[in-house]
């Protein structure tokens, strides 16, 4: 339970960073609204490029840096877990950089959505941490097995980002959303 509680504070820390980034992206997007057509094309291209980075077909050196904070080995409390989460939110870009850039681009294009998009993003990153903390012994064994298919999952998520980026650039996101709702009607009940 201690691991779960500290993990929740860790998730809160990096979630705060992502929500603040979302607020910033929304604010910047609001200032640039009069160039929305051009920005939509640029954002779509950026999302597609970040998908190529995610697939390792393109290298972006600034996104490949890894900054780490090494906490004391004896553990800590809620404050240190939150601070480590904040450091994580700012510094762990190799895995989250391309996807985060795509989400920020989408947040900048959609008025008022930055907080919601980045909170969902933080939740998507945070839930596995919380589940791992709760089921730590069993999760460690499964994580080693998942590591074997990690590269395939990374490539698949990159391909989805490329497809979505092209849909954004072409102005086809509404059509894509309708296709998803027709193909998977249960999605309409989610929100």
């Amino acid at each position: 339970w201690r691991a779960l509680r500290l993990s929740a504070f860790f998730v809160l820390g990096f979630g705060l960073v992502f929500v603040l980034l979302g607020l910033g992206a929304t604010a910047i997007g609001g200032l640039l609204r009069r160039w929305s057509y051009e920005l939509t094309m640029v954002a779509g291209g950026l999302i597609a490029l970040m998908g190529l980075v995610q697939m390792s077909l393109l290298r972006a050196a600034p996104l490949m840096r890894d900054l780490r904070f090494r906490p004391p080995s004896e553990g800590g409390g809620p404050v240190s877990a939150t601070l480590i989460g904040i450091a994580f939110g700012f510094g762990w870009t190799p895995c989250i950089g391309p996807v985060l850039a795509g989400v920020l681009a989408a947040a900048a294009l959609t008025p008022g959505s930055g907080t919601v998009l980045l909170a969902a993003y933080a939740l998507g990153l945070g839930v596995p941490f919380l589940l791992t903390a709760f089921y730590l012994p069993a999760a460690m064994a499964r994580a080693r097995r998942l590591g074997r298919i990690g590269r395939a999952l990374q490539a698949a998520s990159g391909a989805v980002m490329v497809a979505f980026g092209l849909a954004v650039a072409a102005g086809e996101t509404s059509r894509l959303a309708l296709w998803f709702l027709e193909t998977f009607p249960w999605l309409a009940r989610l929100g």
Side-chain angles (χ1 to χ4, degrees):
W1 287 106
R2 181 177 188 276
L4 180 62
R5 184 173 69 94
L6 292 177
S7 293
F9 281 102
F10 174 77
V11 170
L12 174 69
F14 72 70
L16 261 160
V17 170
F18 297 144
V19 168
L20 290 174
L21 286 172
L23 287 170
T26 299
I28 290 170
L31 294 173
L32 302 174
R33 196 72 58 222
R34 68 177 166 180
W35 295 297
S36 65
Y37 174 76
E38 292 83 0
L39 287 174
T40 299
M41 293 182 68
V42 169
L46 176 65
I47 293 169
L49 281 173
M50 292 299 104
L52 294 174
V53 170
Q54 183 77 5
M55 296 169 67
S56 298
L57 296 175
L58 184 67
R59 294 207 36 92
L63 295 177
M64 299 302 159
R65 279 189 272 174
D66 188 10
L67 304 171
R68 294 177 190 223
F69 172 72
R70 305 246 186 243
S73 60
E74 68 272 357
V79 173
S80 63
T82 305
L83 291 174
I84 292 169
I86 289 170
F88 175 85
F90 281 117
W92 193 49
T93 58
C95 290
I96 62 174
V99 177
L100 180 60
V103 175
L104 286 171
L109 293 172
T110 314
S113 72
T115 304
V116 173
L117 282 174
L118 275 294
Y121 178 76
L123 190 61
L125 273 178
V127 167
F129 279 101
L130 295 173
L131 290 173
T132 301
F134 188 71
Y135 297 105
L136 195 56
M140 293 302 287
R142 286 198 172 93
R144 282 191 278 285
R145 280 186 260 145
L146 264 180
R148 294 183 202 125
I149 62 166
R151 180 68 192 112
L153 291 173
Q154 184 177 345
S157 68
V160 169
M161 287 177 64
V162 169
F164 183 71
L166 294 175
V168 167
E172 296 294 327
T173 53
S174 295
R175 188 179 303 190
L176 182 63
L178 286 173
W179 177 84
F180 268 104
L181 288 174
E182 289 171 358
T183 307
F184 308 104
W186 57 270
L187 289 173
R189 293 189 300 259
L190 291 179

